[in-house]
Amino acid sequence: MPRVTTRTAPRRWRRLVGILLAGALLAIVLREIVNSSTYQLFGDYVARLDTTDRVVALTFDDGPDPVQTPMMLDLLDRHGVKATFFMMGRNVERHPQVVRQVLARGHEVGNHSYSHPKLIFMWPSAVREEIERTDRALRDSGATGDIPFRPPHAAKFVVLPYVLLQLGKTSVLGDVDPEEWKRPGAEMMTASVLKQVRAGSILGFHDPMGEDTRRAVDAVVTRLVADGYAFETMSVFLRRRGQRSDAPSAAPR
């Protein structure tokens, strides 16, 4: 009996270590899938336009903000550039006049959920309410046509894509992230964006983040226009994609 124990114990430990390593690897893979800004398991989504044309989409999240959003609009007006603003429903309800100002200046609006939760931890009915309540608020503020959706925190797994599929909504991700949450400063954000950007990129900023973000946007737009890039709204991007039946929904970097 002692011999049997000494022979089987190492195998048991190896099996346990193997299970733990496999579990850790699976957790890492799932985390990447859930938080990826360029990939979604299923449903209609776009992270970058598959094109050689020098076009990009400039997008903003988390507004509208009664102070910061109009200042960003002034900057975009100076450049003659149009963007897409993915708005939180609770902010839309608080500041509908800012939504109307965004639309009046020729920009587009999208849905960024009502309260900005991580939607992977919610029931389908709650996820649907987050989306539909925001759509209602946007339409009450003047939005028309299809309203694209962007996942808060870029978090999605199974429930959110399922709900979006039921609602017939496109999930807008992005392949250029300045990582404003790290507060790197305008110069570093500018350098990071210009390093990442390419034809068909979707750039994701946050208009409520303030002066550093505006300075970075100013510098990025100036440079890209000088390099021959044009800026398009998401509706134009999605129409371009629809004109190519062979274009994938997303093109991971």
Side-chain angles (χ1 to χ4, degrees):
M1 290 297 293
R3 291 179 185 176
V4 174
T5 302
T6 56
R7 287 176 184 172
T8 58
R11 272 181 281 181
R12 289 173 181 170
W13 278 110
R14 286 196 295 269
R15 190 179 304 119
L16 177 59
V17 170
I19 292 172
L20 291 175
L21 288 174
L25 179 61
L26 178 61
I28 292 171
V29 170
L30 289 177
R31 183 177 182 275
E32 289 301 312
I33 291 174
V34 167
N35 296 308
S36 172
S37 62
T38 58
Y39 179 73
Q40 186 170 295
L41 280 175
F42 62 92
D44 185 32
Y45 74 98
V46 58
R48 186 184 72 86
L49 188 67
D50 184 20
T51 182
T52 57
D53 295 340
R54 288 204 157 195
V55 294
V56 294
L58 180 60
T59 68
F60 296 94
D61 294 354
D62 292 0
D65 181 272
V67 175
Q68 304 298 338
T69 302
M71 294 174 73
M72 184 64 74
L73 293 176
D74 290 342
L75 186 155
L76 297 178
D77 281 351
R78 290 197 295 273
H79 286 284
V81 164
K82 302 305 178 187
T84 304
F85 290 77
F86 288 90
M87 299 180 169
M88 295 166 55
R90 65 188 181 192
N91 291 340
V92 172
E93 290 179 350
R94 292 168 183 162
H95 312 293
Q97 75 283 0
V98 182
V99 183
R100 289 191 284 269
Q101 188 176 355
V102 169
L103 294 170
R105 296 203 194 188
H107 304 282
E108 292 181 355
V109 296
N111 186 322
H112 197 43
S113 82
Y114 184 82
S115 59
H116 207 265
K118 284 200 172 186
L119 298 174
I120 59 172
F121 300 124
M122 299 172 65
W123 291 105
S125 58
V127 171
R128 188 174 186 124
E129 176 61 18
E130 281 276 337
I131 297 170
E132 291 184 330
R133 186 173 179 183
T134 301
D135 271 2
R136 289 193 298 270
L138 288 169
R139 295 198 185 283
D140 288 345
S141 300
T144 59
D146 293 336
I147 300 176
F149 179 83
R150 171 168 280 165
H153 312 283
K156 64 259 169 268
F157 188 42
V158 175
V159 173
L160 177 59
Y162 168 76
V163 172
L164 293 175
L165 195 62
Q166 297 299 307
L167 294 173
K169 278 191 174 294
T170 299
S171 179
V172 177
L173 306 176
D175 67 325
V176 178
D177 181 6
E179 296 187 323
E180 295 149 287
W181 60 275
K182 292 183 179 179
R183 301 285 184 178
E187 291 76 15
M188 289 187 64
M189 282 194 286
T190 300
S192 174
V193 168
L194 293 176
K195 184 177 180 180
Q196 297 175 66
V197 74
R198 56 179 170 159
S201 282
I202 299 175
L203 289 66
F205 286 93
H206 295 74
D207 46 309
M209 291 294 284
E211 183 179 355
D212 275 350
T213 290
R214 286 194 300 277
R215 288 174 55 206
V217 170
D218 190 13
V220 165
V221 171
T222 298
R223 172 66 178 275
L224 292 182
V225 169
D227 287 347
Y229 280 90
F231 289 79
E232 297 181 347
T233 58
M234 283 314 306
S235 68
V236 177
F237 250 45
L238 294 175
R239 283 199 299 271
R240 276 178 171 268
R241 187 190 60 166
Q243 290 167 1
R244 292 191 51 193
S245 59
D246 62 332
S249 291
R253 293 169 38 240

